[in-house]
Amino acid sequence: MEKRIFGIETEFGCMVRDDAAGTPEMIVEMVKDHAFYKDKLGLIDLHARDYAFEPARCGGFLRSGGRLYIDAVGSHMEYATPECTEFKDIVAYDKAGRVILNRLLRELNLQDQVSFHSNSVDHFGGHTFGCHENYLVQIDDQNFLEALASLMPFLVTRQIFAGVGRVGGHRLNYKSLKNNIMTISDYEVDYQWVGNFYGVEVDPTVDFQLSQRADHIVKTISSRVRFNRAIINPKWDSYYNYLNMHRLHILFGECNMSEYATLMKVGTTSICLDLIEDGVVLHDVELRDALESLKSVSRDPTWKWIVTRKDGSTIKAVDLQRLYLNAAKKRYTGRDEQTDHMLGEWEYVLDMLEKDPYLLADKLDWVAKRKMLEEFMEADGEVKWGDDVLHSLDLEYHNVSPDDGLYYGLEQAGLVERVTTDRRIFEAMTTPPQTTRAKGRGMVIDKLLATNYRDYVIDWDLIYLSKRLHLELKDPFNTYESEAKLFSSGLS
């Protein structure tokens, strides 16, 4: 596939520092209502998209073509980028969601009482929430599981550059809740289709690890997500489905603060999917135990990251990644500018990880965070791994406020590499990508907002107005610009 559609969904934690501001559930409702009723950033859903998880008025589609909504599971704020085909576009649209949330808090005068965080773990509450990726893939049903077996080793080991880093660890206990730190939700929807409930305990044996979510992943592939979290969550829906292409939903991921790491994560995964679709067979990559490897790579304090293959032999995660890289270089070098750039960066990162990961402190989240924490401990002289203050610093690294977030402190000091600009991120808040159906969707949403039209149903692949007009957006590669203009012409 010369061009691939991809997008990112991010679940945000809401921290309320002053109880007078309200509960987190109240805050996200206020923020959502302000976005759609006051700021007119998009159109709120008038109908339920999913009665259990996305009821009516829980959020809606944005002028950018993406979505902002409250996920009923956990009552957390979630942002989904519009469909993108360019690696640098996905970085800008991913960051735009955080800028939107931060701006909404300021407009509500809540910035001193409330903050949103793109972390993926609650150190003290035992919960985890994710950053999920979606890719349009051309894999038929018969070969789906075989294809995923080829992708799985890449996904397990890409955390060496895509991991965001985490202080400490958790362990899951299916037999006893005696030492459980996870709070139990009062909302029935949180337990829809729960397969196997477990307790979460603090694991004091871990100082720092690459991934925030590796400790909580219990399946390689699963259609259930609550207490049954998997690396891949198959989704056969209309989000990206087109002809014989389907949506691949990667559940194991985390929200990178680093623009460079986001670019690497999406770019390399897209290229690996190219290899699979083109029938390139990679020998000796399948892992004996993907879940065990996921955790061992994340927790390896030596940074050798050795995994065991299906035949019993071992290989370093860096070298396993090189098997994918070398195959991609052989097949795709010279294909287009963004592919060549990604192949070069992929090779550079693997070389530096093998030489000295600290050389990537300006590029990778886990390295930047670890270096920041070590410098703090050295300056303080008394703080050590396991102390609560390090968990707090870990959390504040993911604060989306540019005034308070520790990542943004590094960015403002010029200590991290950027791949987009503030201007591009600002544009991405309201302007759709120009290469996908998000453009047509955004055009219609702009027109509906301008005319105050109040009888609509909007989805990724369809816009339906008052039982008389409908615009199908089946082809995600089509901008539908002319169709959207004609469709909107009767709404003045």
Side-chain angles (χ1 to χ4, degrees), residues 260-385:
Y260 185 94
T262 301
L263 185 77
M264 281 287 297
K265 175 175 65 179
V266 175
T268 57
T269 303
S270 183
I271 290 172
C272 282
L273 290 170
D274 291 340
L275 290 171
I276 292 170
E277 290 173 347
D278 289 344
V280 177
V281 178
L282 293 177
H283 299 286
D284 301 324
V285 297
E286 192 169 351
L287 301 175
R288 185 175 64 186
D289 188 331
L291 294 177
E292 190 279 330
S293 296
L294 185 75
K295 293 177 175 59
S296 66
V297 169
S298 179
R299 288 167 165 242
D300 184 0
T302 70
W303 299 347
K304 293 179 180 178
W305 306 311
I306 296 174
V307 297
T308 303
R309 291 183 280 196
K310 191 174 182 179
D311 64 4
S313 65
T314 59
I315 186 173
K316 293 180 179 179
V318 169
D319 292 331
L320 185 67
Q321 284 282 318
R322 281 204 180 98
L323 295 177
Y324 290 93
L325 169 62
N326 291 336
K329 285 173 61 180
K330 183 177 181 179
R331 193 170 185 93
Y332 304 125
T333 295
R335 180 176 67 178
D336 56 59
E337 183 179 350
Q338 76 165 355
T339 300
D340 283 348
H341 177 258
M342 184 52 53
L343 292 174
E345 296 303 312
W346 195 358
E347 184 168 33
Y348 172 79
V349 166
L350 295 180
D351 288 346
M352 293 303 101
L353 283 170
E354 191 167 50
K355 184 177 181 180
D356 180 4
Y358 282 106
L359 296 172
L360 297 169
D362 62 334
K363 293 178 173 62
L364 306 186
D365 280 305
W366 77 263
V367 185
K369 183 187 289 184
R370 171 123 190 176
K371 182 179 179 183
M372 177 192 72
L373 295 172
E374 289 178 338
E375 289 176 349
F376 176 83
M377 287 189 286
E378 183 178 357
D380 182 273
E382 296 183 1
V383 175
K384 59 184 183 300
W385 293 114

Side-chain angles (χ1 to χ4, degrees), residues 187-204:
Y187 300 98
E188 182 179 351
V189 70
D190 286 359
Y191 304 102
Q192 292 275 358
W193 301 296
V194 168
N196 198 357
F197 184 79
Y198 54 75
V200 178
E201 303 171 0
V202 172
D203 187 347

Side-chain angles (χ1 to χ4, degrees), residues 5-183:
I5 297 288
F6 37 74
I8 296 177
E9 308 164 45
T10 303
E11 302 170 348
F12 291 90
C14 179
M15 175 177 286
V16 180
R17 294 178 170 84
D18 184 351
D19 291 342
T23 65
E25 291 82 3
M26 294 168 58
I27 295 297
V28 295
E29 285 286 344
M30 292 168 58
V31 168
K32 176 261 297 181
D33 288 345
H34 191 82
F36 291 98
Y37 295 125
K38 180 69 175 178
D39 268 10
K40 306 293 185 181
L41 290 176
L43 290 171
I44 202 159
D45 297 328
L46 300 179
H47 301 81
R49 299 184 73 250
D50 184 299
Y51 287 100
F53 303 118
E54 291 184 57
R57 294 178 174 80
C58 75
F61 280 89
L62 302 171
R63 294 172 58 198
S64 67
R67 278 185 60 76
L68 182 69
Y69 57 102
I70 298 172
D71 190 332
V73 178
S75 298
H76 57 259
M77 188 65 77
E78 187 157 350
Y79 167 77
T81 70
E83 305 95 320
C84 296
T85 60
E86 305 299 316
F87 298 153
K88 289 190 177 180
D89 275 356
I90 195 65
V91 176
Y93 284 97
D94 181 49
K95 278 294 182 77
R98 299 170 226 188
V99 175
I100 287 172
L101 290 179
N102 194 57
R103 190 180 84 175
L104 292 170
L105 286 180
R106 290 200 311 271
E107 292 180 358
L108 289 166
N109 200 29
L110 291 171
Q111 69 275 13
D112 295 329
Q113 302 162 288
V114 178
S115 55
F116 283 109
H117 298 255
S118 64
N119 62 308
S120 297
V121 68
D122 179 347
H123 294 92
F124 301 106
H127 298 281
T128 181
F129 35 100
C131 175
H132 309 154
E133 300 149 59
N134 297 290
Y135 299 87
L136 184 68
V137 295
Q138 196 164 15
I139 303 172
D140 60 48
D141 293 356
Q142 286 184 329
N143 298 320
F144 186 70
L145 291 180
E146 181 182 350
L148 295 190
S150 298
L151 180 65
M152 195 67 67
F154 167 79
L155 294 178
V156 166
T157 56
R158 73 173 186 176
Q159 62 182 300
I160 62 178
F161 54 79
V164 301
R166 173 189 172 178
V167 173
H170 284 146
R171 56 190 172 212
L172 311 183
N173 191 331
Y174 292 87
K175 298 179 180 179
S176 171
L177 297 179
K178 181 180 179 180
N179 298 313
N180 178 45
I181 62 171
M182 184 168 54
T183 54

